Amino acid sequence: MKYNVQITVMPLKDLLDPQGKAVLVGLNNLGIHSVEDVRVGKHITLIVEAASAEEAKSVAETAAKQLLANQVMESFEISVN
Amino acid sequence: MKYNVQITVMPLKDLLDPQGKAVLVGLNNLGIHSVEDVRVGKHITLIVEAASAEEAKSVAETAAKQLLANQVMESFEISVN
Protein backbone atom coordinates (compact mmCIF):
# COMPACT_ATOMS: atom_id res chain seq x y z
CA MET A 1 0.00 0.00 0.00
CA LYS A 2 1.13 3.54 -0.67
CA TYR A 3 1.45 5.94 2.24
CA ASN A 4 1.74 9.69 2.07
CA VAL A 5 4.36 10.63 4.68
CA GLN A 6 5.01 14.23 5.73
CA ILE A 7 8.37 15.21 7.22
CA THR A 8 8.91 18.66 8.69
CA VAL A 9 12.53 19.66 9.32
CA MET A 10 13.03 22.81 11.42
CA PRO A 11 16.13 24.54 12.81
CA LEU A 12 16.59 23.75 16.52
CA LYS A 13 14.91 26.28 18.82
CA ASP A 14 18.16 27.36 20.44
CA LEU A 15 19.91 28.15 17.17
CA LEU A 16 19.79 31.32 15.11
CA ASP A 17 17.74 31.09 11.93
CA PRO A 18 19.10 33.71 9.50
CA GLN A 19 16.53 32.84 6.82
CA GLY A 20 13.71 33.37 9.33
CA LYS A 21 15.21 36.71 10.39
CA ALA A 22 15.38 37.77 6.72
CA VAL A 23 11.71 36.88 6.25
CA LEU A 24 10.83 38.89 9.39
CA VAL A 25 12.63 41.95 8.00
CA GLY A 26 10.89 41.43 4.65
CA LEU A 27 7.48 41.29 6.32
CA ASN A 28 8.22 44.49 8.25
CA ASN A 29 9.22 46.16 4.99
CA LEU A 30 5.87 45.13 3.52
CA GLY A 31 4.10 46.81 6.43
CA ILE A 32 3.27 43.62 8.32
CA HIS A 33 4.27 44.36 11.92
CA SER A 34 2.18 41.88 13.90
CA VAL A 35 4.55 38.98 13.18
CA GLU A 36 7.01 38.64 16.07
CA ASP A 37 9.11 35.68 15.07
CA VAL A 38 9.68 33.59 11.97
CA ARG A 39 11.44 30.27 11.55
CA VAL A 40 11.93 28.65 8.18
CA GLY A 41 12.43 24.94 7.65
CA LYS A 42 11.73 22.27 5.08
CA HIS A 43 8.61 20.26 4.38
CA ILE A 44 9.12 16.97 2.56
CA THR A 45 6.36 14.73 1.22
CA LEU A 46 7.27 11.10 0.56
CA ILE A 47 5.14 8.51 -1.20
CA VAL A 48 6.22 5.26 0.45
CA GLU A 49 5.28 1.74 -0.59
CA ALA A 50 4.96 -0.20 2.66
CA ALA A 51 2.95 -2.95 4.32
CA SER A 52 1.81 -0.77 7.22
CA ALA A 53 1.80 2.84 8.41
CA GLU A 54 4.43 1.87 11.01
CA GLU A 55 6.73 0.54 8.30
CA ALA A 56 6.22 3.70 6.21
CA LYS A 57 7.04 5.84 9.24
CA SER A 58 10.17 3.83 9.92
CA VAL A 59 11.35 4.29 6.30
CA ALA A 60 10.75 8.04 6.60
CA GLU A 61 12.66 8.16 9.88
CA THR A 62 15.66 6.47 8.27
CA ALA A 63 15.46 8.91 5.33
CA ALA A 64 15.26 11.89 7.68
CA LYS A 65 18.19 10.76 9.83
CA GLN A 66 20.46 9.76 6.95
CA LEU A 67 19.69 12.44 4.37
CA LEU A 68 17.04 15.03 5.07
CA ALA A 69 17.85 16.44 8.51
CA ASN A 70 21.15 17.47 10.02
CA GLN A 71 20.44 16.53 13.62
CA VAL A 72 23.19 18.78 14.96
CA MET A 73 21.22 21.81 13.76
CA GLU A 74 17.74 20.56 12.94
CA SER A 75 14.91 18.56 14.42
CA PHE A 76 12.29 16.67 12.44
CA GLU A 77 8.71 15.48 12.84
CA ILE A 78 7.01 12.76 10.86
CA SER A 79 3.31 12.20 10.24
CA VAL A 80 1.74 9.47 8.12
CA ASN A 81 -1.56 9.89 6.27
CA MET B 1 -2.69 37.04 22.15
CA LYS B 2 0.15 35.22 20.42
CA TYR B 3 -0.69 32.60 17.84
CA ASN B 4 1.62 29.99 16.42
CA VAL B 5 0.85 29.85 12.69
CA GLN B 6 2.24 27.14 10.41
CA ILE B 7 2.57 27.77 6.67
CA THR B 8 3.50 24.96 4.31
CA VAL B 9 4.59 26.01 0.81
CA MET B 10 4.85 23.20 -1.76
CA PRO B 11 5.61 23.13 -5.50
CA LEU B 12 2.41 22.71 -7.52
CA LYS B 13 1.55 19.08 -8.29
CA ASP B 14 1.80 19.53 -12.06
CA LEU B 15 5.29 21.03 -11.97
CA LEU B 16 8.63 19.25 -11.86
CA ASP B 17 10.40 19.36 -8.52
CA PRO B 18 14.15 18.96 -9.19
CA GLN B 19 15.01 19.11 -5.47
CA GLY B 20 12.57 16.27 -4.79
CA LYS B 21 14.03 14.23 -7.64
CA ALA B 22 17.53 14.79 -6.21
CA VAL B 23 16.38 13.55 -2.79
CA LEU B 24 14.80 10.48 -4.43
CA VAL B 25 18.11 9.64 -6.14
CA GLY B 26 19.93 10.21 -2.85
CA LEU B 27 17.59 7.84 -1.02
CA ASN B 28 18.10 5.18 -3.70
CA ASN B 29 21.87 5.59 -3.35
CA LEU B 30 21.48 5.01 0.39
CA GLY B 31 19.64 1.75 -0.30
CA ILE B 32 16.15 3.05 0.42
CA HIS B 33 14.05 1.82 -2.51
CA SER B 34 10.53 1.85 -1.08
CA VAL B 35 10.12 5.61 -1.56
CA GLU B 36 8.39 6.25 -4.89
CA ASP B 37 8.09 10.02 -5.00
CA VAL B 38 9.50 12.98 -3.09
CA ARG B 39 8.46 16.60 -3.13
CA VAL B 40 10.32 19.25 -1.18
CA GLY B 41 8.82 22.52 -0.02
CA LYS B 42 9.13 25.03 2.79
CA HIS B 43 7.68 25.04 6.26
CA ILE B 44 7.40 28.44 7.94
CA THR B 45 6.42 29.04 11.55
CA LEU B 46 5.15 32.53 12.43
CA ILE B 47 4.48 33.89 15.89
CA VAL B 48 1.68 36.40 15.29
CA GLU B 49 0.26 38.89 17.77
CA ALA B 50 -3.45 39.07 16.97
CA ALA B 51 -6.86 39.44 18.61
CA SER B 52 -8.22 36.19 17.22
CA ALA B 53 -7.14 33.05 15.37
CA GLU B 54 -8.96 34.37 12.28
CA GLU B 55 -6.92 37.59 12.37
CA ALA B 56 -3.68 35.61 12.79
CA LYS B 57 -4.61 33.42 9.82
CA SER B 58 -5.38 36.48 7.73
CA VAL B 59 -1.96 38.01 8.54
CA ALA B 60 -0.29 34.72 7.58
CA GLU B 61 -2.23 34.60 4.33
CA THR B 62 -1.07 38.09 3.41
CA ALA B 63 2.52 37.15 4.28
CA ALA B 64 2.30 33.97 2.19
CA LYS B 65 0.82 35.73 -0.84
CA GLN B 66 3.15 38.73 -0.76
CA LEU B 67 6.43 37.16 0.28
CA LEU B 68 6.60 33.47 1.09
CA ALA B 69 4.93 31.69 -1.82
CA ASN B 70 5.26 32.25 -5.55
CA GLN B 71 1.72 31.33 -6.56
CA VAL B 72 2.72 30.70 -10.17
CA MET B 73 4.78 27.71 -9.03
CA GLU B 74 3.76 27.00 -5.45
CA SER B 75 0.67 26.43 -3.34
CA PHE B 76 0.41 27.08 0.39
CA GLU B 77 -1.57 25.84 3.36
CA ILE B 78 -2.03 27.63 6.66
CA SER B 79 -2.91 26.19 10.05
CA VAL B 80 -3.21 28.12 13.31
CA ASN B 81 -2.47 26.56 16.72
Side-chain angles (χ1 to χ4, degrees), chain A residues 38-41, chain B residues 5-9 42-46 68:
Chain A
V38 182
R39 294 187 83 77
V40 180
Chain B
V5 185
Q6 312 289 325
I7 306 177
T8 304
V9 180
K42 287 179 286 189
H43 187 92
I44 300 120
T45 303
L46 305 179
L68 300 168

Side-chain angles (χ1 to χ4, degrees), chain A:
Chain A
M1 200 179 145
K2 289 190 207 312
Y3 291 89
N4 187 324
V5 185
Q6 312 289 325
I7 307 177
T8 304
V9 180
M10 296 299 287
L12 290 176
K13 286 202 172 46
D14 297 333
L15 295 181
L16 286 174
D17 174 16
Q19 200 181 352
K21 289 286 167 282
V23 169
L24 188 57
V25 171
L27 291 174
N28 285 337
N29 290 345
L30 288 171
I32 300 171
H33 298 286
S34 53
V35 177
E36 302 192 348
D37 192 32
V38 182
R39 294 187 83 77
V40 180
K42 286 178 286 189
H43 187 92
I44 300 120
T45 303
L46 306 179
I47 308 295
V48 182
E49 174 70 45
S52 67
E54 288 69 32
E55 190 188 318
K57 187 169 182 174
S58 150
V59 167
E61 203 169 321
T62 308
K65 283 185 182 163
Q66 295 195 6
L67 186 70
L68 300 167
N70 170 359
Q71 288 191 278
V72 177
M73 299 173 64
E74 294 168 327
S75 64
F76 63 87
E77 274 177 32
I78 296 173
S79 68
V80 181
N81 300 330

Side-chain angles (χ1 to χ4, degrees), chain B residues 13-30:
Chain B
K13 286 201 172 50
D14 298 332
L15 295 181
L16 286 174
D17 174 14
Q19 201 182 350
K21 290 287 167 283
V23 169
L24 188 57
V25 171
L27 291 175
N28 285 336
N29 289 346
L30 287 171

Side-chain angles (χ1 to χ4, degrees), chain B:
Chain B
M1 200 179 147
K2 289 192 208 310
Y3 292 89
N4 187 325
V5 185
Q6 312 289 325
I7 306 177
T8 304
V9 180
M10 296 299 287
L12 290 177
K13 286 201 172 50
D14 298 332
L15 295 181
L16 286 174
D17 174 14
Q19 201 182 350
K21 290 287 167 283
V23 169
L24 188 57
V25 171
L27 291 175
N28 285 336
N29 289 346
L30 287 171
I32 300 172
H33 298 284
S34 54
V35 177
E36 301 191 349
D37 193 32
V38 182
R39 293 188 82 77
V40 180
K42 287 179 286 189
H43 187 92
I44 300 120
T45 303
L46 305 179
I47 307 296
V48 182
E49 174 70 45
S52 67
E54 288 70 32
E55 191 189 316
K57 187 169 183 175
S58 150
V59 168
E61 204 169 320
T62 309
K65 283 184 182 165
Q66 295 194 7
L67 186 70
L68 300 168
N70 170 1
Q71 289 191 277
V72 176
M73 298 173 63
E74 295 168 328
S75 64
F76 64 86
E77 275 177 31
I78 296 173
S79 68
V80 181
N81 301 330

